[in-house]
């Protein structure tokens, strides 16, 4: 199943992975995932997808096929979360 949110962000599940993409930048990420079918996705940050699933918050940067970070939390408010990603200069 493929879902499009805000006419920009793609979310799809395979049996073993979660795919997240930004259609404006054409960046797609695929990470290992065991779906609970209860995931909530937040798209407040243009570079990172925030996934809330069964008390765990997971961050995935669009275009990278690995989890940026995760933590356990009882309360999740995407408006109280700040994410900054340092970009490395290209030589």
């Amino acid at each position: 199943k493929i879902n499009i949110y805000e006419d920009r962000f793609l979310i799809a599940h395979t049996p073993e992975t979660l795919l997240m993409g930004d259609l404006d930048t054409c960046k797609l990420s695929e990470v290992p995932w065991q779906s609970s079918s209860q995931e909530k996705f937040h798209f407040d940050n243009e570079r990172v997808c925030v996934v809330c699933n069964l008390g765990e918050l997971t961050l995935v940067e669009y275009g990278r096929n690995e989890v940026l970070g995760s933590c356990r939390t009882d309360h999740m408010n995407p408006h109280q979360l700040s994410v900054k990603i340092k970009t490395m200069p290209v030589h």
Side-chain angles (χ1 to χ4, degrees):
K1 182 177 177 182
I2 299 172
N3 292 307
I4 306 293
Y5 296 91
E6 301 175 11
D7 292 326
R8 178 177 178 179
F9 300 102
L10 174 141
I11 299 292
H13 291 92
T14 72
E16 297 178 357
T17 63
L18 177 63
L19 291 100
M20 294 151 282
D22 181 340
L23 300 175
D24 283 357
T25 63
C26 297
K27 290 184 177 182
L28 181 68
S29 302
E30 183 175 19
V31 296
W33 195 261
Q34 296 297 321
S35 179
S36 70
S37 300
Q38 297 179 28
E39 295 93 348
K40 291 188 168 97
F41 302 95
H42 300 281
F43 308 102
D44 296 337
N45 188 305
E46 292 188 353
R47 295 186 54 196
V48 175
C49 183
V50 177
V51 186
C52 298
N53 184 39
L54 302 175
E56 184 168 59
L57 176 127
T58 303
L59 303 172
V60 178
E61 182 180 2
Y62 298 112
R64 295 190 60 185
N65 294 328
E66 60 188 9
V67 171
L68 185 63
S70 64
C71 66
R72 303 275 312 157
T73 181
D74 290 330
H75 305 285
M76 172 52 199
N77 182 337
H79 304 292
Q80 294 177 334
L81 180 68
S82 176
V83 178
K84 182 174 180 175
I85 299 171
K86 184 176 179 182
T87 56
M88 302 304 285
V90 179
H91 297 294

